[in-house]
Amino acid sequence: MGDQTRGLYPGIQRHDRARRPAACPVPDVLMARFDVFSNPGGHAGTPYVVEVQGNHLSGLATRAVIPLRRLDRIAPVPLPPDLIPVFIIEGIECMLDTPTLAAIPRSALTKPVSSLVHRQDEILSALDRLFGGW
């Protein structure tokens, strides 16, 4: 690859180019939208939170999360499935408590225990219902 190929493929780095440091600090734990984390608050009835913040905002110091509450700790009442879907995390049946969406410090979230990316349509529908975008 000599100078004659320079500019032919914009955005592609030549294989013989030296490594450069990252443009910004890279966190110890890379987080992805719909990752499930142990609840940093340690509440037994709410063992998990799911991150719903867009990956394009990864530079912020906070993360938008929705609590995942244990169904066996809640009185049996009809739940609107489009607002409060139910998921099984580590064998525990949990409801996505969408109306209690919150922001917490990024540093409070450690290693993910699961991911709900395969159920993202249900989570996004619940957020749409919460914000009136349905």
Side-chain angles (χ1 to χ4, degrees), residues 36-42 46-49 90 104 108-114:
V36 176
F37 297 88
S38 292
N39 183 353
T46 308
Y48 308 105
V49 297
E90 296 184 321
I104 62 173
L109 300 175
T110 56
K111 186 178 177 188
V113 297
S114 187

Side-chain angles (χ1 to χ4, degrees), residues 18-24:
R19 283 185 174 229
R20 295 181 296 178
C24 61

Side-chain angles (χ1 to χ4, degrees), residues 28-127:
D28 292 336
V29 178
L30 295 177
M31 298 175 198
R33 191 172 194 192
F34 310 115
D35 276 355
V36 176
F37 297 88
S38 292
N39 183 353
H43 190 275
T46 308
Y48 308 105
V49 297
V50 60
E51 182 186 348
V52 294
Q53 182 169 304
N55 292 333
H56 65 287
L57 299 173
S58 64
L60 298 178
T62 57
R63 292 290 181 266
V65 298
I66 301 175
L68 289 159
R69 302 193 192 283
R70 293 181 67 118
L71 270 183
D72 61 359
R73 304 274 176 98
I74 298 170
V77 296
L79 301 172
D82 59 337
L83 179 64
I84 303 176
V86 175
F87 306 109
I88 297 176
I89 308 295
E90 296 184 321
I92 301 170
E93 201 170 22
C94 298
M95 63 173 238
L96 183 74
D97 196 358
T98 310
T100 61
L101 173 89
I104 62 173
R106 177 178 60 196
S107 60
L109 300 175
T110 56
K111 186 178 177 188
V113 297
S114 187
S115 174
L116 289 173
V117 71
H118 62 289
R119 308 278 301 269
Q120 66 180 313
D121 289 345
E122 293 170 77
I123 297 169
L124 292 173
S125 291
L127 288 166

